[in-house]
Amino acid sequence: MDEGPSVRSRAISSALRLGVRPFLHYLPGHATSIRTARSTVDAASLLLRHSPHVRVESLNDPAPGADGGLPVRGEWIVPRDAAQENPPGAVLYLHGGGYVVCSPRTHRPITSRLALDTGLPILAPRYRLAPEHPFPAPLEDAVAAYRWLLARGVPASGIVLAGDSAGGHLSAALTGELCRQGLPGPAGLMLFSPWVDLTCELSMGAQSRARDPYISASSARRVARLVVGPTGFEDPRLALLTCAWNDMPPVLIQVGGAEVLRTEAEAFADALRRAGAHCDLQIWKGQMHVFQILNRVLPEASAAMRDAAHFVRTVTSGTGKHPRARRRSKAA
């Protein structure tokens, strides 16, 4: 467990540090640059293959529900040998991208792997993005996606909420919002490199110590101003570290040891445990932000996805058992 990152991990981190990180760090925070970033990320996503053993079905349900809810669009990823009707559970996966870029397609390497390893379908909604649609628009879309699953017979006890980076923030905010709206809570919450603190105070303090090859706290803070829109950071649903996390389901948090958001993940795990939640925090030594997306090439990412699938199977098994709350450092 004391081994350092693999050779592949070090090589990819070095390439990102020299190429992608400078691009993201100096990208101006205005609409034109955001459109450029979206096009670049979408093109790059074509290079990341998803598993051929799953079906990726386009989802476009424009008809609002009986309660006047929002339409649900995105992807439904299903193992090829899975039953078509009445799945016993599902993973609602909310992609990252700082609330401004990315899509369900960019995150197929994660969602397809989850579908394959868990045997469950994955709902990856295409939620609205900032700056055109600032918060809480993404949260409203996430609630609509959860309601969509319930309306189609997926029991809340079989649903795991999951997300990476900004999608991790959105998944956690969704968990709290379900409670506020009186909806049944999910079986579990799974976060990959969550962007917990949109004010970026914690990450700014950690920036001088972290060797994150991918993102910087400065760029995250610039993007956050676009996300919150004219209302600023006053919406209490944004502040994950000060929420009252009562009656939480089991939580798994995976974070790279080298990333600038590590301190946020640690602070969130502490907040959850103080509230009495079962939280397993995994710190993967030497890994970058959302390293899980490289699970077809990185041994650490593949191992992390196996742990993630185990968590999903455990909390949706109906046994009532929770993963033991703990803090772990992980290596390849």
Side-chain angles (χ1 to χ4, degrees):
M1 296 298 294
D2 294 328
E3 297 177 18
S6 65
V7 173
R8 287 186 180 182
S9 176
R10 291 195 297 269
I12 291 173
S13 293
S14 297
L16 289 172
R17 187 178 291 111
L18 293 173
V20 176
R21 193 178 192 277
F23 170 76
L24 294 176
H25 182 69
Y26 294 108
L27 190 68
H30 52 69
T32 301
S33 67
I34 294 300
R35 285 194 293 270
T36 300
R38 287 176 186 168
S39 299
T40 302
V41 171
D42 285 344
S45 70
L46 299 176
L47 302 175
L48 296 174
R49 291 178 173 271
H50 65 273
S51 171
H53 302 294
V54 301
R55 300 192 311 272
V56 179
E57 303 172 0
S58 179
L59 173 64
N60 187 356
D61 189 350
D67 58 354
L70 293 166
V72 177
R73 299 181 177 90
E75 293 184 346
W76 184 245
I77 301 100
V78 189
R80 289 195 179 276
D81 57 353
Q84 295 280 345
E85 302 293 337
N86 302 318
V91 177
L92 173 53
Y93 193 89
L94 300 167
H95 68 80
Y99 281 116
V100 296
V101 298
C102 294
S103 67
R105 187 180 73 178
T106 63
H107 283 63
R108 284 180 189 172
I110 290 179
T111 54
S112 64
R113 176 68 184 263
L114 279 174
L116 188 62
D117 287 358
T118 64
L120 296 177
I122 314 296
L123 172 58
R126 184 181 293 274
Y127 60 83
R128 288 170 289 172
L129 300 176
E132 299 91 339
H133 304 284
F135 198 88
L139 181 58
E140 294 167 354
D141 292 344
V143 173
Y146 190 82
R147 288 182 178 272
W148 187 91
L149 286 173
L150 295 178
R152 279 146 188 81
V154 183
S157 59
I159 299 175
V160 173
L161 305 183
D164 64 277
S165 194
H169 179 275
L170 184 55
S171 297
L174 174 59
T175 306
E177 187 65 13
L178 296 177
C179 180
R180 281 186 285 270
Q181 294 193 19
L183 291 169
L189 175 64
M190 185 166 65
L191 310 177
F192 302 151
S193 301
W195 186 17
V196 172
D197 174 26
L198 266 61
T199 70
C200 299
E201 291 181 4
L202 289 175
S203 55
M204 287 297 292
Q207 185 164 260
S208 61
R209 301 186 304 275
R211 290 183 52 80
D212 195 318
Y214 184 41
I215 63 171
S216 71
S218 300
S219 59
R221 172 180 280 183
R222 188 163 56 247
V223 169
R225 295 191 183 100
L226 301 176
V227 174
V228 300
T231 59
F233 294 92
E234 300 305 316
D235 192 324
R237 293 171 293 185
L238 290 167
L240 301 185
L241 295 177
T242 57
C243 287
W245 295 107
N246 301 322
D247 300 320
M248 280 290 288
V251 181
L252 171 65
I253 302 175
Q254 294 181 344
V255 64
E259 63 176 296
V260 74
L261 297 186
R262 171 179 170 173
T263 56
E264 298 186 11
E266 292 171 327
F268 190 43
D270 288 342
L272 291 171
R273 290 167 182 160
R274 287 195 300 270
H278 295 263
C279 181
D280 185 358
L281 172 64
Q282 296 182 352
I283 301 173
W284 287 77
K285 186 175 181 180
Q287 298 308 303
M288 65 177 187
H289 187 62
V290 196
F291 65 99
Q292 295 88 346
I293 204 165
L294 298 174
N295 62 78
R296 290 175 68 89
V297 295
L298 283 187
E300 295 94 340
S302 184
M305 293 303 297
R306 288 195 296 271
D307 279 6
H310 175 74
F311 173 82
V312 172
R313 290 193 300 268
T314 300
V315 298
T316 59
S317 65
T319 63
K321 296 180 180 179
H322 299 312
R324 188 173 67 181
R326 52 187 171 174
R327 169 183 172 138
R328 296 188 285 169
S329 293
K330 302 280 286 187

